[in-house]
Amino acid sequence: MGNVAIVTDSNSGISQAEGKELGIYVIPMPFLVDGKLYFEDVDMNKEQFYHFLENDADLSTSQPSPGDVMDLWDKLLKEYDEIVHIPMSSGLSASCSTAMGLARDYDGKVQVVDNQRISVTMQQSVMDAKHLVAAGKSAAQIKEILEKEALESSIYLMVDTLKYLKKGGRITPSAALLGSALNLKPILQIQGDKLDAYKKVRGVKAAKKNMLEAMKKDVEGRFSDYVTKGQLKLHVAYTTDEETARQWKEEVQSVFPDITISRMDPLSFSVTCHTGPGVLAIAASHVLDGVE
């Protein structure tokens, strides 16, 4: 009998293969494409997803079915004493509140964490949880620690095309038309539970400059103590173009030479649905003491 199992979903950016390697259970996020159900990294890979996206398929996000979630929990509780379940932020999906509702029937054996993260910062939470399990913490203790860390992260991302923001109703068609004509690149931010506008600039070069300046302000301000203690990691994320992402990673490292860039990962399909291809992002998160 094990102690605490860690469950997350594919919004963390952790693949099914990597999850198996790490001993973490990854629930694939479901998507409807032209009426057909697919599951991220199970029967739909990145190339297929981008093909659907760029060819204007009728694509919509969904949340894992309660039955699938409970089936996994029931299976794991035959092997483990407790479960820590880390879904994407409650401000970005109903999957967190759904899981919290389901967990009420498990007498405290399932602890659902809402530490308001997604993608690479959510992934860091999963790695922190893995470290806390190894340190002998209970599921309830891990939930408490991770939720205290909720605001100790930051994400800035550049949207390359306004098409998908318009499609999702986040901007009007006229604003999208004008923005495209002016080569505007919106910069979005996640500083807690929601995806918000940060700034609009003209061109990719200006967008990168502004994201780096925003992160530098965070690093030198609210994260400065973590930098001194070596407890801050940077992350790079992207959609579509891995080579452009590598160049972006080099730019980020040149600005922050003394901070480790722990990962360079594609953004989850859920984020990409609303932002489209060509996205570049920079993120930072506090790393718990002792976590590699």
Side-chain angles (χ1 to χ4, degrees):
M1 174 72 77
N3 185 20
V4 181
I6 301 171
V7 175
T8 188
D9 61 49
S10 56
N11 285 301
S12 64
I14 298 173
S15 68
Q16 295 296 318
E18 188 177 8
K20 288 178 182 177
E21 185 180 326
L22 293 169
I24 291 164
Y25 301 89
V26 182
I27 296 174
M29 294 301 289
F31 293 83
L32 279 171
V33 182
D34 294 331
K36 183 178 178 182
L37 184 64
Y38 292 86
F39 292 90
E40 183 170 6
D41 196 35
V42 173
D43 56 5
M44 182 165 64
N45 60 30
K46 287 185 297 181
E47 290 73 21
Q48 290 169 316
F49 177 79
Y50 291 139
H51 174 78
F52 289 138
L53 193 72
E54 293 171 0
N55 285 276
D56 292 324
D58 182 10
L59 196 156
S60 60
T61 58
S62 186
Q63 60 174 302
S65 77
D68 287 347
V69 173
M70 290 188 294
D71 284 349
L72 176 60
W73 289 352
D74 291 341
K75 178 182 175 182
L76 291 177
L77 287 172
K78 293 176 182 177
E79 304 176 41
Y80 296 87
D81 299 323
E82 299 178 299
I83 295 169
V84 172
H85 183 97
I86 308 173
M88 69 188 289
S89 167
S90 61
L92 298 170
S93 169
S95 59
C96 183
S97 58
T98 297
M100 285 182 167
L102 297 174
R104 294 191 190 104
D105 293 331
Y106 283 79
D107 299 321
K109 291 183 180 180
V110 178
Q111 297 288 328
V112 179
V113 177
D114 183 15
N115 67 336
Q116 302 175 3
R117 297 191 182 187
I118 190 171
S119 187
V120 285
T121 57
M122 178 180 169
Q123 185 182 116
Q124 185 62 55
S125 296
V126 174
M127 301 311 295
D128 289 346
K130 190 171 185 291
H131 169 75
L132 292 168
V133 168
K137 300 294 185 184
S138 70
Q141 288 172 322
I142 294 169
K143 171 184 169 72
E144 182 181 3
I145 291 167
L146 293 184
E147 289 186 346
K148 281 183 179 177
E149 291 284 299
L151 299 180
E152 304 306 309
S153 68
S154 182
I155 299 177
Y156 299 95
L157 61 92
M158 176 205 77
V159 177
D160 188 50
T161 170
L162 300 174
K163 174 180 176 180
Y164 300 92
L165 293 177
K166 181 188 76 172
K167 194 173 181 180
R170 290 183 176 268
I171 60 173
T172 64
S174 58
L177 183 64
L178 179 61
S180 297
L182 295 174
N183 194 27
L184 290 181
K185 306 295 181 187
I187 299 172
L188 308 179
Q189 63 177 337
I190 301 175
Q191 303 288 342
D193 65 343
K194 292 183 179 179
L195 184 69
D196 293 314
Y198 174 71
K199 189 179 284 190
K200 291 178 184 176
V201 297
R202 294 183 70 174
V204 173
K205 186 176 180 179
K208 288 185 192 177
K209 180 176 180 288
N210 276 269
M211 285 194 290
L212 291 169
E213 288 174 351
M215 185 57 72
K216 191 172 183 181
K217 184 177 179 181
D218 287 343
V219 166
E220 293 177 351
R222 61 194 182 103
F223 295 148
S224 59
D225 285 347
Y226 298 145
V227 176
T228 301
K229 295 174 183 176
Q231 294 177 351
L232 189 78
K233 284 186 179 178
L234 293 174
H235 321 275
V236 168
Y238 66 98
T239 62
T240 319
D241 189 350
E242 190 171 341
E243 181 54 40
T244 299
R246 285 198 189 97
Q247 295 170 12
W248 170 231
K249 181 182 177 182
E250 290 174 5
E251 290 180 57
V252 171
Q253 193 69 83
S254 68
V255 174
F256 303 100
D258 299 324
I259 304 176
T260 300
I261 299 178
S262 66
R263 300 282 296 230
M264 185 187 85
D265 287 321
L267 286 165
S268 71
F269 294 173
S270 294
V271 176
T272 308
C273 269
H274 302 291
T275 56
V279 171
L280 293 174
I282 180 173
S285 52
H286 173 223
V287 180
L288 297 180
D289 191 25
V291 178
E292 294 296 327

